[in-house]
Amino acid sequence: MTDATLSTTGAAAPLLAADGTPLKEKLARTTRRMKMRALLLTLPLVLFLILSFVLPIGQMLYRSFNNPTGSNVMPNFAQAIKNWDANQGIPSDDLVEIFVKDMASAKKNREVGKTIGNLATRVNYEIPGSRSLFTKTARRAGKITEGPYFEALVKIDKRWDNPNVWRTLQRVTNDFTLSFYLAATDRKYDSSGAIIMADELYQIYLPILWKTIWLSALITFLCFIIAYPVSYLLSTLPLATSNLLMILVLLPFWTSLLVRTSAWIAMLQKSGIINNVLVYLDIIADESRIQMIYNITGTVVAMVHILLPFLILPLYSVMKTIPPSFMRAARSMGASNTYAFTRVYFPQTIPGIAAGTLLVFILAIGYYITPALVGGSDGLLISNLIADHIKKTLNWSLGAALGTILLVVVLLFYWIYNKLVGVDNLKFG
Amino acid sequence: MSLAEEQSVDHGAEAFVRFDKVQKSYDGEILVVKDLNLDIPEGEFLTMLGPSGSGKTTSLLMLAGFEPATHGEIYLGGQSINNVPPNKRGIGMVFQNYALFPHMTVAENLAFPLLVRKMNKADIEAKVQRALEMVELPQMGGRRPAQLSGGQQQRVAVARALVFDPKLILMDEPLGALDKQLREQMQYEIKHIHENLGVTVVYVTHDQAEALTMSDRIAVFEDGIIQQLSTPDDLYERPQNSFVAQFIGENNKLHGKVSKIAKGVASVDLDGGGTVTAAAVNVSAVGERTTLSLRPERVEIEPAKGQTENAITGEILELIYLGDHIRTRMNVAGNTEFIVKVPNSAGNKPLAEGAKVNVGWQSMDCRALDALG
C-alpha cells in the first residue's frame, strides 16, 4: 500500500511550501528543533537507565557464561589446551610442561583473581574436593625442572592420572562456559563430558525454583481472592467511606517493608499474639503452640499482605470506570445478580485482574527481604539463593546464571500473559 | 411476565402503570419524591420533565426496581411490584450513557436479554436481526459498541431495550449525549418506534423541547412533586402555575396585585405601573400578589386601537435579527427582559432601539398565576 501511494505521489510533482521548498523537507526542518529539545530532555533519563539498568544487567548476563579465572591464572596453558582432543585421556608431555610452568609462575602471583587459590576454587565447583590437589601441586611445581613432567605430577598426587581432571581443566580454562547454567539447573558433566543430572542429594536449585514459582502463584491467587471484594467495595462505596478504606489499604503500603515484616514476626511467632490469644481462649494447649513463622506459612502470609496493594490499586482503577448502569442494564434485561456479575461485570475487570496479578506474580517471584526474614529454611525463595552466591560464597557466575534463569522465567510468564490477555489490555490505572 | 403474588388491586385495573402515594428519601431527612400519584395507560408515551434534582430520575429508578420506594405502592399491569426484583419486572430500559456492554459485539448485546430468557439460538438470531433492522443498522451486528458513532450506539441501546418485547420501556435522558441535529432526528425515530410497536414508554428528560416533540402527556416535576400533568399543547398554552409557565417555552413575567376578579378575568395592577386584564388561573382573592405569564409570540407591537384588550407602553432595548422573526427585548412595566417576537413580514414598520412603542395582547393569552418566582 505504501509503495502504491509513493509511486502515485512520485509521479506527480511533490507538494511545495509557499517558498518553493518541498513540503516534507520544510516540515522536517520546522520540527527538528522541537525533536532535538525533546531528546535533550530525555537524555539524563536515558543515561541513568543505561548506567543503572542496562549495564549491570548486561554484565550479569555476561558473567553467567563468561568466567576468565582459568585463563587469568594460567594464560599459556589455557591457550595450549584449547585444541587438545579430550578423548586422548592424558595430554602430551609438552602440554603438561606448559601446565607445570604456568603453575609455578601462578604460585608467585599475588594479584587478586589470578592466584592459584582462585583457580582451585573454580575447579572445585566442577570437581568437589579437588582444591587440595591444586594447592599441593602448586607448592611443588617450582621444583619440577625436567621431564617427563606427567610422571612428576603423578608423583605429587595420583589424581593427575585421572583423564577427567584434564578434561575439566580444558573446560575451566575456556572463558566461555555453560557449567554455571548446568549447576543452576542441578546438572553437571560426567567423566565422559556428557551432561547429566546431579546426584539427588545435591539437587537444590530446580526444586527451589519450582517452589518459588508455585509459591508466587499461590500468593498471587490469595491476593486476588482478597483484593477483588476490597476493590469492589472501594469503587462502589460512598466517597467518604471509600476514602477511609483507601487509606487503610495505603497506610501499610507506605510503611517500611521491614516494619511490616517484623510486625508479622510479632504476630505469628510461637510466643506471638495469635498463639497467645489461641492459648488464652483454650483453643490450643500451651505446649502445642502453632509454628506459623520461619516456614512457608510465614512467607506466604507476610508476602500476601505486602503485595496486596499492588493488586487492589489496578483492580480499583478499572472497577472505578465501570458505571453502575451496566449492572442495572443487565438486571433490567432479566439477568439475575449472579448472571449479570459473571457476564457483564467480571469480564470488564479482566484487564485490571491481568495487570494486578502479573505485577504481583513478578514481584513475588523475585522477592528477597521478606522470605529472608520470616521464611526460615523452608520458606526461602530463589532470590535468597542468588543473594547467598553474590554475598557469601562469592560464586558470582552461579548467582548470575540463577538470576538470568529467573529473568527468563519472568519474561516467559509475561509472554504467556501477553498471549492470553494481550499486553495492551493491561490497565495499571 | 412474573409478578409478585400480591393481590390484584381494583383501582389499578385501568392504568398500566400506577404510582400510588409514592415517597422516596435517600437519607431520611429530605424527601426526593414527595407524594407521587400517577396513572399511565397502556401504550402511552409519558415524559417526566423537570430540572435536575426534581425527582424524575428517582421516580424512574423506583419503577425500574433499582431504588425501593420509601412509602407507597407502584403497580404494573394492576399488580404491586414493590417486592419484585428488577430482573423479574420485564421492563426494558435505555440509559443516558447507553450502557452497551463494551466487551460484547452489538449482536451479543442484543442477544443478552434473549440468552437470559434461554431462548433457542435460531430464534435469538432472527430476533436480533429484526431488531437491528428496526433501528436501521442491519450490518452492524459484528461491531463493538466503541466502533459505533454516538447516534448508532443510541439506536442499539433502544433496540436492546425492545428486543425482548417488553410492554414497558423506560428511557433515562437517552439523547443527552448527542448533538442537537442528531438529537432531533432521534426524537422522531423513537416517536415512530413507539407508534409502530404500541409499547408504553416512560421517558425522562430535562429538555422541554424534547418533551413537547415526543410525548402524549408530560408530567412536569419540581421539588419532588408533579406540578402539572397534561398534553404538550395544554402545558404550553395553559400552564397551571408559574414554575410550569417558566419551565416550558419562553415566558414573559409581569408581577402585580389583583384588584378585581370577575368571570374568570382578573384585573391586575402591575408593580411597574398600569393595569391589565388576564385569565384568572391561580388567583382567588382581590389583593393577592400574582405573576402574569405571557408568551412572546402572543404580544403585538403597535396594535391598532381596540384590536387588543390590553395595551401598554414599553421601550425597545435590543433587537436581534433571526431571519424569520426579530427578537425584541423591551422594558415593559419594569421588566427589562420582556421579549416580543416580531414576525419579519412585509409592511412591518422598522423598529429602532430606544424607541417607545405600544405593546398589546388579549386577556386570555395572559395568565394570572401564583406569585412564586
Side-chain angles (χ1 to χ4, degrees):
Chain A
M1 205 181 93
T2 5
D3 278 354
T5 39
L6 274 182
S7 63
T8 49
T9 50
L15 274 172
L16 299 182
D19 60 357
T21 48
L23 199 56
K24 273 195 177 165
E25 202 178 298
K26 185 94 178 164
L27 185 69
R29 213 180 295 159
T30 49
T31 52
R32 195 173 300 143
R33 267 179 69 99
M34 263 159 59
K35 281 184 185 160
M36 287 296 287
R37 200 184 302 165
L39 205 69
L40 224 62
L41 281 171
T42 57
L43 203 61
L45 180 67
V46 171
L47 282 178
F48 175 78
L49 280 180
I50 289 175
L51 288 177
S52 70
F53 195 69
V54 179
L55 283 183
I57 288 190
Q59 213 212 355
M60 184 197 82
L61 286 172
Y62 187 64
R63 206 183 274 274
S64 67
F65 56 84
N66 177 290
N67 189 314
T69 312
S71 59
N72 277 345
V73 178
M74 319 191 86
N76 298 323
F77 176 70
Q79 201 60 37
I81 201 169
K82 216 162 238 171
N83 296 320
W84 173 65
D85 178 9
N87 292 328
Q88 288 174 4
I90 304 299
S92 67
D93 221 43
D94 294 345
L95 203 54
V96 179
E97 182 185 355
I98 300 172
F99 175 74
V100 170
K101 297 224 160 106
D102 266 2
M103 272 287 228
S105 64
K107 180 77 179 93
K108 294 174 200 132
N109 205 335
R110 289 284 174 272
E111 211 179 317
V112 175
K114 293 189 177 175
T115 64
I116 281 295
N118 294 124
L119 179 68
T121 309
R122 173 71 186 87
V123 178
N124 201 49
Y125 295 151
E126 313 271 333
I127 313 171
S130 66
R131 215 186 143 81
S132 62
L133 173 65
F134 282 81
T135 45
K136 188 164 125 197
T137 310
R139 273 200 302 278
R140 304 189 193 166
K143 289 170 192 144
I144 306 172
T145 46
E146 54 186 13
Y149 289 91
F150 182 71
E151 275 72 17
L153 277 182
V154 176
K155 209 186 254 174
I156 296 171
D157 196 310
K158 283 209 301 288
R159 283 178 283 181
W160 287 117
D161 202 15
N162 183 349
N164 195 27
V165 172
W166 295 101
R167 201 193 299 271
T168 307
L169 266 178
Q170 188 188 30
R171 271 204 314 271
V172 165
T173 50
N174 187 350
D175 288 358
F176 292 93
T177 172
L178 272 180
S179 35
F180 296 106
Y181 280 101
L182 293 180
T185 52
D186 294 329
R187 286 169 172 79
K188 63 173 187 181
Y189 291 106
D190 68 358
S191 52
S192 68
I195 296 170
I196 56 163
M197 289 300 292
D199 302 331
E200 208 150 306
L201 193 64
Y202 293 107
Q203 291 184 9
I204 44 172
Y205 301 113
L206 275 186
I208 294 234
L209 185 65
W210 290 130
K211 189 164 84 180
T212 306
I213 291 173
W214 80 254
L215 267 186
S216 301
L218 176 72
I219 288 164
T220 310
F221 178 73
L222 290 176
C223 278
F224 168 71
I225 295 287
I226 301 172
Y228 202 89
V230 173
S231 315
Y232 181 79
L233 276 181
L234 271 175
S235 65
T236 49
L237 282 178
L239 202 61
T241 333
S242 76
N243 275 348
L244 185 73
L245 193 59
M246 191 54 136
I247 288 171
L248 292 181
V249 170
L250 289 177
L251 211 59
F253 195 48
W254 293 331
T255 315
S256 155
L257 195 69
L258 222 53
V259 172
R260 277 185 285 168
T261 310
S262 319
W264 277 114
I265 298 177
M267 292 284 291
L268 297 176
Q269 63 188 345
K270 270 200 164 174
S271 55
I273 295 166
I274 293 178
N275 268 316
N276 281 349
V277 169
L278 289 178
V279 169
Y280 178 78
L281 295 174
D282 271 339
I283 294 169
I284 54 170
D286 195 17
E287 57 276 6
S288 58
R289 284 168 175 262
I290 306 165
Q291 180 74 40
M292 287 180 286
I293 203 155
Y294 308 124
N295 55 18
I296 289 182
T297 318
T299 303
V300 170
V301 169
M303 279 180 70
V304 165
H305 174 237
I306 285 160
L307 295 175
L308 203 52
F310 292 99
L311 231 167
I312 292 180
L313 293 177
L315 261 180
Y316 164 73
S317 76
V318 166
M319 288 178 176
K320 197 80 188 154
T321 64
I322 303 174
S325 61
F326 282 173
M327 280 296 270
R328 285 181 174 169
R331 297 273 281 144
S332 78
M333 287 185 277
S336 65
N337 262 329
T338 330
Y339 192 90
F341 176 81
T342 51
R343 291 300 180 87
V344 175
Y345 194 84
F346 186 78
Q348 292 187 69
T349 59
I350 285 177
I353 298 173
T357 50
L358 182 63
L359 193 63
V360 168
F361 184 81
I362 288 177
L363 284 172
I365 213 171
Y367 231 66
Y368 165 69
I369 186 88
T370 304
L373 287 175
V374 301
S377 56
D378 269 8
L380 284 187
L381 301 183
I382 195 85
S383 344
N384 303 100
L385 288 187
I386 296 175
D388 264 6
H389 282 302
I390 303 291
K391 292 195 313 198
K392 289 191 191 143
T393 67
L394 300 186
N395 188 353
W396 285 12
S397 286
L398 183 55
L402 284 168
T404 308
I405 289 173
L406 188 59
L407 184 65
V408 170
V409 168
V410 167
L411 290 176
L412 193 74
F413 275 103
Y414 183 76
W415 179 80
I416 294 171
Y417 238 84
N418 188 22
K419 286 281 151 194
L420 291 179
V421 190
V423 168
D424 28 322
N425 267 338
L426 295 188
K427 272 189 192 155
F428 286 103
Chain B
M1 207 181 307
S2 47
L3 292 164
E5 293 106 82
E6 235 172 274
Q7 290 268 303
S8 168
V9 180
D10 277 335
H11 60 255
E14 278 282 331
F16 181 55
V17 177
R18 163 183 283 249
F19 287 87
D20 187 22
K21 300 193 185 72
V22 172
Q23 292 185 313
K24 173 71 184 174
S25 174
Y26 286 104
D27 53 5
E29 285 165 18
I30 299 161
L31 278 176
V32 184
V33 175
K34 282 179 180 157
D35 182 23
L36 182 61
N37 292 290
L38 177 61
D39 285 4
I40 305 169
E42 194 159 5
E44 186 173 59
F45 194 119
L46 181 117
T47 298
M48 294 177 170
L49 173 69
S52 51
S54 60
K56 58 189 192 310
T57 297
T58 303
S59 303
L60 193 78
L61 291 180
M62 283 192 287
L63 180 52
F66 299 125
E67 290 290 346
T70 314
H71 174 81
E73 294 280 331
I74 300 171
Y75 300 94
L76 178 64
Q79 288 183 294
S80 167
I81 52 169
N82 280 29
N83 295 318
V84 181
N87 51 322
K88 304 277 184 204
R89 293 192 180 189
I91 298 174
M93 188 153 179
V94 182
F95 293 83
Q96 187 167 15
N97 59 3
Y98 318 135
L100 297 176
F101 305 143
H103 58 294
M104 298 182 188
T105 64
V106 167
E108 283 165 350
N109 263 287
L110 292 182
F112 187 88
L114 307 175
L115 275 174
V116 172
R117 286 168 173 74
K118 300 198 168 64
M119 217 173 256
N120 75 50
K121 226 178 149 204
D123 286 353
I124 290 181
E125 262 172 47
K127 279 192 98 92
V128 166
Q129 196 52 38
R130 214 180 319 139
L132 281 173
E133 274 158 20
M134 181 182 68
V135 293
E136 287 157 30
L137 295 169
Q139 310 296 330
M140 299 294 185
R143 301 254 186 115
R144 298 256 167 184
Q147 294 168 301
L148 303 181
S149 70
Q152 289 170 331
Q153 290 184 32
Q154 174 57 57
R155 286 164 199 232
V156 174
V158 171
R160 192 178 64 173
L162 288 166
V163 73
F164 60 100
D165 300 321
K167 288 238 179 84
L168 174 63
I169 309 269
L170 309 182
M171 299 195 183
D172 184 11
E173 311 225 8
L175 307 180
L178 301 180
D179 62 61
K180 189 170 180 292
Q181 211 174 353
L182 204 52
R183 199 159 60 219
E184 281 165 11
Q185 190 193 335
M186 283 306 297
Q187 286 169 13
Y188 293 120
E189 283 189 28
I190 291 176
K191 194 173 159 69
H192 292 152
I193 287 173
H194 166 249
E195 281 162 9
N196 292 338
L197 298 181
V199 292
T200 312
V201 177
V202 178
Y203 192 99
V204 162
T205 183
H206 63 268
D207 181 345
Q208 43 106 0
E210 197 166 288
L212 292 176
T213 310
M214 304 173 77
S215 323
D216 295 331
R217 280 196 306 163
I218 300 171
V220 181
F221 276 70
E222 165 63 0
D223 200 24
I225 290 171
I226 294 184
Q227 303 286 337
Q228 187 171 352
L229 173 66
S230 335
T231 57
D233 54 330
D234 221 33
L235 213 55
Y236 184 81
E237 286 171 31
R238 285 175 286 282
Q240 293 300 320
N241 61 37
S242 288
F243 175 80
V244 175
Q246 193 62 26
F247 194 74
I248 310 279
E250 219 173 348
N251 182 42
N252 290 315
K253 283 185 295 187
L254 294 172
H255 301 288
K257 198 187 275 183
V258 178
S259 60
K260 198 176 90 186
I261 302 180
K263 289 179 190 159
V265 176
S267 294
V268 177
D269 294 336
L270 297 179
D271 294 350
T275 303
V276 294
T277 54
V281 180
N282 235 353
V283 287
S284 49
V286 171
E288 207 176 319
R289 290 205 53 79
T290 178
T291 303
L292 300 182
S293 154
L294 182 59
R295 298 295 182 196
E297 67 274 13
R298 297 293 169 92
V299 181
E300 272 195 75
I301 297 245
E302 297 286 13
K305 220 168 173 61
Q307 191 190 327
T308 56
E309 290 157 1
N310 293 296
I312 192 166
T313 310
E315 184 190 359
I316 297 177
L317 298 177
E318 193 178 8
L319 293 167
I320 298 165
Y321 182 77
L322 285 170
D324 62 332
H325 72 270
I326 295 158
R327 200 177 150 83
T328 311
R329 186 165 69 84
M330 301 183 70
N331 178 356
V332 173
N335 178 3
T336 56
E337 296 293 329
F338 194 95
I339 303 292
V340 181
K341 287 180 179 169
V342 183
N344 190 7
S345 51
N348 263 9
K349 256 196 292 181
L351 300 168
E353 286 177 16
K356 298 231 192 264
V357 292
N358 277 330
V359 289
W361 60 86
Q362 304 292 357
S363 296
M364 281 302 115
D365 288 337
C366 181
R367 295 168 71 79
L369 305 171
D370 52 303
L372 197 100

